[in-house]
Amino acid sequence: MFSLLRPYPSPLASRNGIDLDFPLLAGCLALLGLGLVMITSASSEVAAAQAGNPLYYMIRHLIYLVIGIVSCGVVLMIPMATWQRFGGMLLIAAFVVLIMVLIPGIGREVNGSLRWIGFGLFNVQPSELAKVFVVIYLAGYLVRRQDEVRHSWMGFFKPFIVLLPLAGLLLREPDFGATVVMMGAAAAMLFLGGVGLFRFVLMVVVAVGAVFVLVQTQEYRMQRLITFTDPWADQFGSGYQLTQALIAFGRGGWFGLGLGNSIQKQFYLPEAHTDFVFAVLAEELGLVGALATVGLFLFVCIRGLYIGYWAEQAKQYFSAYVAYGLSMLWIGQFLINIGVNVGLLPTKGLTLPFLSYGGSSLIICCVSMALLLRIEWERRTLLVDEEVEFTEEDFADVR
């Protein structure tokens, strides 16, 4: 693979040596480092009880982190034009992996959900791959059908012919949170791609109606919604997880109990190192640490949106839409996970990007970071796609 990629210039082997966007790289590395520290702290008690080694989950997380960094290096060497060329094949791959996870004997059930494909000691979560593949495909569609998307209803509805079956496969797992994030990112990409405001508002109304219907059709979703509004009504039953998370926030105060001193992680708060790692962080680092973490997330997400904006200004439209989509995936998961932790949203099985324990999520976050770094580098060095022609109006500001 590396011999095939070697002829292409990359930010790892440019004229200036390693040429990466330092602000984005520093922000993501800071989140990865913080995630490793918090996983070590939040999982120590559970790991000691389950595996006899308090560092068990930390070691596994470190292995995932190494795989993610290696994957990041490989993706940095792949031109964005290659991703655009294979967008259709990636979409087919998304369908294949989401179908595979539903096949008995291939998919692995954890906590009542069939979301993983088992490979020995490791599990792969296909929904993480599917979300990125959908972003890449939809970015290519917006470039190919730009005028049609902006000016006709058919161009606007065509992507949903593909997205709705994918959403149906995700709901079969069931993975309602991933479905919301994927569809939200797709809607944001369509809006940024130039869809008219009326059609966009109509799409939002239909989406809200669909969410309402889905909640009504499944009793457990309705129960989660009722519990979320008043978790203390059944604090030792369906509201247990949320009430324990809120207790963690209350214990943290302004400056926290200190790193490693969380009480809630000692078998009070379920999934303390996965979905609710932010609650443990708030308990140990306090409100100041939690807000600093939120600020770091906002910086990384906004930087990703700016990278998309700069690529669009350079007329690299495919790269711009990919950057927008990846940033929206991060923003969606970040908002939902934080909202669940603080009790603003019903409980959902979504990880916190860069921080939560989970190999698939961590590796895909590293791959997404690499795509954004590649987009920013191509915008600075390659300037513009070969198919775009300049006119005198493009240089009006220069004159």
Side-chain angles (χ1 to χ4, degrees):
M1 177 180 292
F2 289 101
S3 61
L4 294 174
L5 297 174
R6 195 174 297 134
Y8 297 104
S10 77
L12 297 179
S14 66
R15 295 179 181 178
N16 300 324
I18 297 178
D19 186 14
L20 299 171
D21 181 58
F22 179 76
L24 178 65
L25 180 63
C28 291
L29 290 180
L31 288 173
L32 289 171
L34 179 62
L36 180 61
V37 172
M38 292 312 306
I39 292 302
T40 304
S41 175
S43 67
S44 58
E45 301 294 334
V46 175
Q50 293 181 351
N53 180 7
L55 299 180
Y56 174 76
Y57 287 110
M58 184 274 284
I59 294 171
R60 288 175 65 90
H61 190 79
L62 191 58
I63 293 172
Y64 294 140
L65 184 57
V66 172
I67 296 173
I69 292 174
V70 172
S71 302
C72 176
V74 173
V75 172
L76 280 171
M77 292 188 288
I78 302 176
M80 294 306 299
T82 302
W83 294 104
Q84 184 175 5
R85 190 179 311 120
F86 291 100
M89 295 181 64
L90 293 176
L91 180 68
I92 294 173
F95 272 104
V96 170
V97 294
L98 289 179
I99 292 173
M100 286 178 61
V101 77
L102 299 176
I103 299 176
I106 297 179
R108 180 174 292 182
E109 185 175 344
V110 179
N111 294 332
S113 297
L114 202 65
R115 301 178 185 176
W116 292 268
I117 297 176
F119 292 94
L121 298 175
F122 300 96
N123 293 329
V124 175
Q125 192 169 0
S127 61
E128 296 291 340
L129 289 170
K131 287 184 290 189
V132 175
F133 290 170
V134 164
V135 165
I136 293 173
Y137 170 78
L138 189 56
Y141 175 82
L142 289 173
V143 172
R144 294 191 306 271
R145 306 285 185 178
Q146 192 172 65
D147 291 337
E148 191 177 355
V149 169
R150 292 180 176 180
H151 302 113
S152 74
W153 284 93
M154 184 56 66
F156 170 68
F157 281 119
K158 278 182 180 179
F160 293 99
I161 299 175
V162 172
L163 293 175
L164 290 178
L166 276 173
L169 290 173
L170 286 172
L171 291 173
R172 286 280 297 170
E173 296 182 2
D175 196 345
F176 187 67
T179 306
V180 171
V181 170
M182 183 188 74
M183 298 301 287
M189 290 176 67
L190 287 169
F191 179 71
L192 293 171
V195 169
L197 184 61
F198 174 74
R199 280 175 286 173
F200 180 76
V201 171
L202 179 62
M203 176 179 60
V204 171
V205 172
V206 172
V208 171
V211 169
F212 178 78
V213 171
L214 288 172
V215 169
Q216 293 288 334
T217 55
Q218 295 290 338
E219 185 177 350
Y220 80 93
R221 292 186 184 128
M222 179 57 69
Q223 185 60 40
R224 281 185 177 182
L225 187 61
I226 296 172
T227 302
F228 137 76
T229 57
D230 186 12
W232 302 102
D234 189 15
Q235 60 178 308
F236 297 109
S238 57
Y240 179 77
Q241 203 166 21
L242 179 53
T243 55
Q244 295 302 313
L246 294 176
I247 290 173
F249 280 95
R251 287 185 187 275
W254 285 97
F255 300 103
L257 302 178
L259 192 62
N261 294 328
S262 169
I263 297 175
Q264 295 305 106
K265 71 180 181 182
Q266 298 178 10
F267 308 103
Y268 291 103
L269 178 61
E271 309 295 339
H273 59 296
T274 55
D275 299 345
F276 284 86
V277 69
F278 188 75
V280 177
L281 183 149
E283 184 181 5
E284 295 188 349
L285 304 183
L287 179 63
V288 173
L291 290 178
T293 303
V294 170
L296 191 56
F297 266 112
L298 289 176
F299 170 77
V300 167
C301 294
I302 292 173
R303 186 72 180 182
L305 291 174
Y306 264 108
I307 288 174
Y309 172 74
W310 294 330
E312 188 173 6
Q313 293 295 99
K315 301 187 185 301
Q316 297 177 342
Y317 296 111
F318 172 76
S319 296
Y321 297 141
V322 170
Y324 290 146
L326 295 177
S327 300
M328 288 299 173
L329 288 179
W330 285 355
I331 291 171
Q333 286 195 222
F334 163 69
L335 290 177
I336 291 176
N337 185 276
I338 299 294
V340 167
N341 273 254
V342 300
L344 294 176
L345 292 173
T347 304
K348 288 278 140 240
L350 274 180
T351 57
L352 186 60
F354 296 103
L355 260 69
S356 293
Y357 174 81
S360 299
S361 174
L362 185 64
I363 293 170
I364 290 301
C365 283
C366 291
V367 168
S368 301
M369 174 184 69
L371 286 169
L372 289 171
L373 291 172
R374 177 81 197 193
I375 290 168
E376 195 276 336
W377 178 78
E378 286 193 6
R379 191 270 309 178
R380 285 187 290 109
T381 56
L382 306 181
L383 297 180
V384 71
D385 295 332
E386 294 180 359
E387 297 180 0
V388 177
E389 297 181 0
F390 286 108
T391 64
E392 293 184 2
E393 295 179 358
D394 295 318
F395 299 93
D397 294 338
V398 177
R399 291 200 301 269

